[in-house]
Amino acid sequence: MALPRVASPTYELTIPSSGEKVSYRPFLVKEEKTLLMAMEAGDNRAMTKAMQDIITSCTEGEVNLKRLASFDIEYFFLQLRGRSIGEVLTISPHRPSNFKCCEEATENDICEININIDDIVMDTSKIKSSEINITDDIGMKLNFPQIETVQKYTGEGEDIKSENVFKLIVDCIEYIWDGEEIFKAKDSTKKDLNEFLESLTSAQFTEVKDFFESMPRLSHEIDWICPRCEKSNPMRIEGIDSFFE
């Protein structure tokens, strides 16, 4: 006789970048083991792969990961983690570098903080249009970078370097239009796309950069309380790694 299977509840989530609603189940013990192994490895790419695999499994493959922005993946996974393990996360960040409060304080001080995942909101109100009008006739359609694209052009724990900005933008061009004519990026060479970007004026290129800078980030403001004198200091944590300290 076969052993019984435990039914999993189903939840609904809104994808930040698109507003699309998707259903998902909590991750199971076998999937949590994959996540723990990736976390223990301390490899961002392994962690990303684990998050993507778990999202695919928990949505029964209904979510197209290629259509998700990097911040979609982080937000989705954090919500998924909350429904799977518990809505309250406990993190232990180190003392903020600019926070001075008492003589006994050291940079190694930590503060244990509980965060309810339901309090973390992804603000998409400042996202700019992905269609950039270069002139009256010429424009370009951009996509938000996928999480692999961001990792490809950033170092470990670093912001993207200036020399890689062009490369990232080129990877995110969906198409360029000239009047009624559409030029798909996948049908163009990297050289041609680079030359197109380099032909823009500074003001036009700023419009392009503004789109990427309008991307929301997974962030949350907390109060870091000194364990020695109990004075508090506001602190903003950003990025998926900050929620697993």
Side-chain angles (χ1 to χ4, degrees):
M1 180 180 297
L3 293 174
R5 287 184 173 274
V6 180
S8 298
T10 301
Y11 301 96
E12 188 176 72
L13 176 142
T14 300
I15 302 296
S17 67
S18 65
E20 177 187 0
K21 295 185 181 298
V22 297
S23 297
Y24 66 97
R25 63 162 172 80
F27 56 70
L28 308 178
V29 170
K30 62 180 181 180
E31 293 150 348
E32 185 178 1
K33 285 171 62 178
T34 301
L35 174 64
L36 291 174
M37 290 173 63
M39 292 175 65
E40 289 173 358
D43 184 337
N44 278 352
R45 285 173 173 75
M47 180 71 173
T48 295
K49 180 66 165 56
M51 289 193 299
Q52 291 173 317
D53 289 347
I54 290 173
I55 289 174
T56 297
S57 296
C58 293
T59 58
E60 306 299 333
E62 293 298 316
V63 172
N64 184 354
L65 296 178
K66 295 296 183 183
R67 295 174 58 189
L68 298 186
S70 56
F71 57 86
D72 289 329
I73 294 283
E74 292 187 340
Y75 179 75
F76 198 151
F77 185 77
L78 193 64
Q79 294 297 315
L80 180 54
R81 187 267 181 212
R83 303 305 174 212
S84 305
I85 299 177
E87 282 77 13
V88 178
L89 283 173
T90 300
I91 63 173
S92 301
H94 282 81
R95 174 183 295 277
S97 58
N98 62 346
F99 181 35
K100 310 297 181 184
C101 56
C102 60
E103 293 182 358
E104 295 80 12
T106 74
E107 61 182 15
N108 294 321
D109 288 338
I110 61 173
C111 172
E112 189 171 282
I113 298 170
N114 293 324
I115 302 173
N116 191 311
I117 288 178
D118 291 333
D119 293 335
I120 300 171
V121 178
M122 183 71 74
D123 182 10
T124 60
S125 63
K126 297 179 181 179
I127 293 179
K128 293 186 177 296
S129 172
S130 61
E131 295 188 346
I132 312 296
N133 292 303
I134 306 300
T135 69
D136 290 341
D137 299 313
I138 299 173
M140 59 196 302
K141 169 70 166 62
L142 299 167
N143 294 317
F144 284 117
Q146 296 174 5
I147 197 164
E148 296 95 340
T149 305
V150 173
Q151 290 181 340
K152 182 166 65 171
Y153 296 121
T154 55
E156 195 77 19
E158 298 177 353
D159 291 329
I160 186 168
K161 296 179 180 179
S162 57
E163 62 265 28
N164 288 330
V165 171
F166 260 59
K167 296 177 183 178
L168 182 142
I169 293 175
V170 164
D171 281 0
C172 293
I173 297 174
E174 183 175 342
Y175 58 80
I176 295 168
W177 73 81
D178 183 2
E180 297 296 321
E181 195 169 4
I182 300 293
F183 303 91
K184 293 184 178 179
K186 65 180 182 179
D187 299 327
S188 304
T189 66
K190 298 287 187 184
K191 180 176 181 294
D192 287 340
L193 294 171
N194 264 300
E195 288 179 351
F196 176 80
L197 289 179
E198 289 174 349
S199 73
L200 303 181
T201 66
S202 293
Q204 291 166 342
F205 189 65
T206 296
E207 291 286 321
V208 176
K209 290 193 297 183
D210 284 349
F211 167 73
F212 293 100
E213 291 172 0
S214 75
M215 285 196 313
R217 295 201 65 182
L218 183 64
S219 65
H220 188 65
E221 188 162 294
I222 59 176
D223 283 325
W224 197 94
I225 301 174
C226 177
R228 303 175 187 275
C229 66
E230 298 188 349
K231 183 177 179 180
S232 66
N233 182 70
M235 176 183 180
R236 180 163 291 278
I237 55 175
E238 294 186 336
I240 190 69
D241 293 346
S242 301
F243 293 89
F244 289 92
E245 291 187 353

Short mmCIF file of all heavy atoms in Angstrom, two decimals, residues 90-96 99 107-114 222-228 230-233 235 245:
data_model
loop_
_atom_site.label_atom_id
_atom_site.label_comp_id
_atom_site.label_asym_id
_atom_site.label_seq_id
_atom_site.Cartn_x
_atom_site.Cartn_y
_atom_site.Cartn_z
N THR A 90 14.51 36.14 10.88
CA THR A 90 15.41 36.68 11.90
C THR A 90 16.78 36.89 11.27
O THR A 90 17.38 35.95 10.74
CB THR A 90 15.54 35.73 13.09
OG1 THR A 90 14.24 35.54 13.69
CG2 THR A 90 16.47 36.32 14.15
N ILE A 91 17.24 38.13 11.28
CA ILE A 91 18.56 38.44 10.73
C ILE A 91 19.43 39.06 11.82
O ILE A 91 18.91 39.56 12.83
CB ILE A 91 18.47 39.41 9.52
CG1 ILE A 91 17.89 40.76 9.96
CG2 ILE A 91 17.62 38.80 8.41
CD1 ILE A 91 17.93 41.82 8.87
N SER A 92 20.73 39.01 11.62
CA SER A 92 21.68 39.54 12.62
C SER A 92 22.72 40.41 11.94
O SER A 92 23.90 40.04 11.83
CB SER A 92 22.35 38.39 13.37
OG SER A 92 21.40 37.58 14.02
N PRO A 93 22.32 41.59 11.45
CA PRO A 93 23.28 42.47 10.76
C PRO A 93 24.29 43.10 11.72
O PRO A 93 23.99 43.32 12.90
CB PRO A 93 22.38 43.54 10.13
CG PRO A 93 21.17 43.59 11.03
CD PRO A 93 20.97 42.19 11.50
N HIS A 94 25.49 43.38 11.20
CA HIS A 94 26.52 44.05 11.99
C HIS A 94 26.18 45.54 12.15
O HIS A 94 25.36 46.09 11.40
CB HIS A 94 27.88 43.88 11.34
CG HIS A 94 28.50 42.53 11.58
ND1 HIS A 94 28.15 41.43 10.83
CD2 HIS A 94 29.41 42.11 12.48
CE1 HIS A 94 28.84 40.37 11.26
NE2 HIS A 94 29.61 40.77 12.26
N ARG A 95 26.85 46.15 13.08
CA ARG A 95 26.66 47.57 13.34
C ARG A 95 26.87 48.38 12.07
O ARG A 95 27.85 48.20 11.35
CB ARG A 95 27.65 48.03 14.42
CG ARG A 95 27.67 49.53 14.69
CD ARG A 95 28.74 49.88 15.70
NE ARG A 95 28.44 49.28 16.99
CZ ARG A 95 27.61 49.78 17.90
NH1 ARG A 95 27.01 50.95 17.65
NH2 ARG A 95 27.37 49.17 19.04
N PRO A 96 25.95 49.31 11.77
CA PRO A 96 26.16 50.20 10.61
C PRO A 96 27.45 50.99 10.78
O PRO A 96 27.77 51.46 11.88
CB PRO A 96 24.93 51.12 10.65
CG PRO A 96 23.90 50.36 11.41
CD PRO A 96 24.65 49.55 12.43
N PHE A 99 27.27 54.46 12.44
CA PHE A 99 26.52 54.58 13.69
C PHE A 99 27.48 54.56 14.87
O PHE A 99 28.11 53.56 15.17
CB PHE A 99 25.50 53.44 13.78
CG PHE A 99 24.66 53.48 15.02
CD1 PHE A 99 24.25 54.67 15.59
CD2 PHE A 99 24.24 52.30 15.63
CE1 PHE A 99 23.47 54.71 16.73
CE2 PHE A 99 23.46 52.31 16.76
CZ PHE A 99 23.07 53.51 17.32
N GLU A 107 32.79 47.47 15.87
CA GLU A 107 32.23 47.18 14.54
C GLU A 107 31.74 45.75 14.42
O GLU A 107 31.03 45.40 13.47
CB GLU A 107 33.30 47.44 13.48
CG GLU A 107 34.53 46.57 13.61
CD GLU A 107 35.59 46.88 12.57
OE1 GLU A 107 35.50 47.94 11.92
OE2 GLU A 107 36.51 46.05 12.42
N ASN A 108 32.09 44.90 15.37
CA ASN A 108 31.65 43.50 15.34
C ASN A 108 30.33 43.28 16.05
O ASN A 108 29.81 42.15 16.06
CB ASN A 108 32.72 42.59 15.98
CG ASN A 108 34.00 42.56 15.18
OD1 ASN A 108 33.96 42.54 13.95
ND2 ASN A 108 35.14 42.58 15.85
N ASP A 109 29.77 44.32 16.64
CA ASP A 109 28.48 44.19 17.32
C ASP A 109 27.40 43.79 16.31
O ASP A 109 27.39 44.26 15.17
CB ASP A 109 28.08 45.52 17.97
CG ASP A 109 28.91 45.84 19.20
OD1 ASP A 109 29.49 44.90 19.78
OD2 ASP A 109 28.99 47.02 19.57
N ILE A 110 26.50 42.92 16.74
CA ILE A 110 25.36 42.54 15.91
C ILE A 110 24.06 42.78 16.68
O ILE A 110 24.06 42.88 17.90
CB ILE A 110 25.43 41.07 15.46
CG1 ILE A 110 25.42 40.14 16.68
CG2 ILE A 110 26.64 40.81 14.59
CD1 ILE A 110 25.32 38.67 16.31
N CYS A 111 23.00 42.90 15.92
CA CYS A 111 21.69 43.10 16.52
C CYS A 111 20.72 42.11 15.88
O CYS A 111 20.60 42.05 14.66
CB CYS A 111 21.21 44.54 16.27
SG CYS A 111 19.51 44.86 16.77
N GLU A 112 20.06 41.32 16.70
CA GLU A 112 19.09 40.35 16.18
C GLU A 112 17.76 41.06 15.93
O GLU A 112 17.19 41.67 16.82
CB GLU A 112 18.90 39.20 17.16
CG GLU A 112 18.09 38.05 16.60
CD GLU A 112 18.10 36.83 17.51
OE1 GLU A 112 19.11 36.10 17.51
OE2 GLU A 112 17.09 36.65 18.23
N ILE A 113 17.28 40.96 14.69
CA ILE A 113 16.08 41.69 14.29
C ILE A 113 15.10 40.74 13.60
O ILE A 113 15.49 39.94 12.74
CB ILE A 113 16.43 42.84 13.32
CG1 ILE A 113 17.36 43.84 14.01
CG2 ILE A 113 15.19 43.54 12.79
CD1 ILE A 113 17.96 44.87 13.08
N ASN A 114 13.84 40.82 13.98
CA ASN A 114 12.79 40.03 13.35
C ASN A 114 12.05 40.88 12.31
O ASN A 114 11.68 42.02 12.59
CB ASN A 114 11.78 39.52 14.39
CG ASN A 114 12.40 38.52 15.35
OD1 ASN A 114 13.25 37.72 14.96
ND2 ASN A 114 11.99 38.56 16.60
N ILE A 222 14.98 49.01 8.79
CA ILE A 222 14.89 48.44 10.12
C ILE A 222 15.53 49.40 11.12
O ILE A 222 16.18 50.37 10.74
CB ILE A 222 15.63 47.08 10.20
CG1 ILE A 222 17.11 47.27 9.81
CG2 ILE A 222 14.96 46.05 9.30
CD1 ILE A 222 17.95 46.01 9.94
N ASP A 223 15.33 49.14 12.39
CA ASP A 223 16.00 49.89 13.45
C ASP A 223 17.07 48.99 14.05
O ASP A 223 16.75 47.94 14.64
CB ASP A 223 15.01 50.32 14.54
CG ASP A 223 14.17 51.51 14.13
OD1 ASP A 223 14.70 52.38 13.42
OD2 ASP A 223 12.97 51.56 14.48
N TRP A 224 18.33 49.38 13.86
CA TRP A 224 19.44 48.63 14.45
C TRP A 224 19.65 49.17 15.86
O TRP A 224 19.91 50.36 16.06
CB TRP A 224 20.71 48.82 13.62
CG TRP A 224 21.77 47.79 13.91
CD1 TRP A 224 21.99 46.63 13.26
CD2 TRP A 224 22.76 47.85 14.96
NE1 TRP A 224 23.05 45.95 13.81
CE2 TRP A 224 23.54 46.68 14.86
CE3 TRP A 224 23.05 48.79 15.96
CZ2 TRP A 224 24.60 46.42 15.72
CZ3 TRP A 224 24.10 48.52 16.82
CH2 TRP A 224 24.86 47.35 16.70
N ILE A 225 19.54 48.29 16.86
CA ILE A 225 19.64 48.71 18.27
C ILE A 225 20.96 48.21 18.85
O ILE A 225 21.27 47.01 18.79
CB ILE A 225 18.45 48.17 19.08
CG1 ILE A 225 17.13 48.68 18.49
CG2 ILE A 225 18.58 48.57 20.55
CD1 ILE A 225 15.90 48.09 19.13
N CYS A 226 21.72 49.11 19.39
CA CYS A 226 23.02 48.75 19.98
C CYS A 226 22.79 47.79 21.16
O CYS A 226 22.02 48.09 22.07
CB CYS A 226 23.74 50.01 20.47
SG CYS A 226 25.32 49.65 21.30
N PRO A 227 23.45 46.64 21.16
CA PRO A 227 23.28 45.68 22.26
C PRO A 227 23.93 46.14 23.56
O PRO A 227 23.72 45.53 24.61
CB PRO A 227 23.98 44.42 21.72
CG PRO A 227 25.01 44.95 20.77
CD PRO A 227 24.39 46.16 20.14
N ARG A 228 24.68 47.25 23.51
CA ARG A 228 25.38 47.73 24.70
C ARG A 228 24.65 48.88 25.38
O ARG A 228 24.50 48.90 26.60
CB ARG A 228 26.81 48.14 24.32
CG ARG A 228 27.59 46.98 23.67
CD ARG A 228 28.95 47.42 23.20
NE ARG A 228 29.62 46.38 22.44
CZ ARG A 228 30.34 45.39 22.98
NH1 ARG A 228 30.48 45.33 24.29
NH2 ARG A 228 30.91 44.48 22.21
N GLU A 230 21.64 50.30 23.84
CA GLU A 230 20.25 50.25 23.37
C GLU A 230 19.81 51.50 22.59
O GLU A 230 18.62 51.71 22.38
CB GLU A 230 19.28 49.99 24.53
CG GLU A 230 19.53 48.64 25.21
CD GLU A 230 18.45 48.30 26.22
OE1 GLU A 230 17.64 49.20 26.55
OE2 GLU A 230 18.41 47.14 26.67
N LYS A 231 20.77 52.29 22.14
CA LYS A 231 20.42 53.40 21.26
C LYS A 231 20.13 52.82 19.88
O LYS A 231 20.79 51.87 19.44
CB LYS A 231 21.56 54.40 21.18
CG LYS A 231 21.24 55.62 20.33
CD LYS A 231 22.39 56.63 20.34
CE LYS A 231 22.05 57.84 19.47
NZ LYS A 231 23.16 58.83 19.46
N SER A 232 19.14 53.37 19.17
CA SER A 232 18.75 52.82 17.87
C SER A 232 19.20 53.72 16.72
O SER A 232 19.42 54.93 16.91
CB SER A 232 17.24 52.61 17.81
OG SER A 232 16.56 53.86 17.86
N ASN A 233 19.30 53.12 15.56
CA ASN A 233 19.69 53.84 14.36
C ASN A 233 18.97 53.21 13.16
O ASN A 233 18.99 51.99 13.00
CB ASN A 233 21.21 53.72 14.15
CG ASN A 233 21.69 54.50 12.94
OD1 ASN A 233 21.69 55.73 12.95
ND2 ASN A 233 22.11 53.80 11.91
N MET A 235 18.30 51.77 9.57
CA MET A 235 19.22 51.09 8.66
C MET A 235 18.41 50.44 7.54
O MET A 235 17.39 49.81 7.80
CB MET A 235 20.01 50.01 9.43
CG MET A 235 20.93 49.15 8.59
SD MET A 235 21.71 47.87 9.62
CE MET A 235 22.70 47.02 8.41
N GLU A 245 21.03 36.92 6.54
CA GLU A 245 22.26 37.07 7.34
C GLU A 245 22.15 36.28 8.64
O GLU A 245 21.09 36.23 9.23
CB GLU A 245 22.51 38.55 7.63
CG GLU A 245 22.88 39.35 6.40
CD GLU A 245 23.29 40.77 6.75
OE1 GLU A 245 23.15 41.14 7.93
OE2 GLU A 245 23.74 41.49 5.86
#
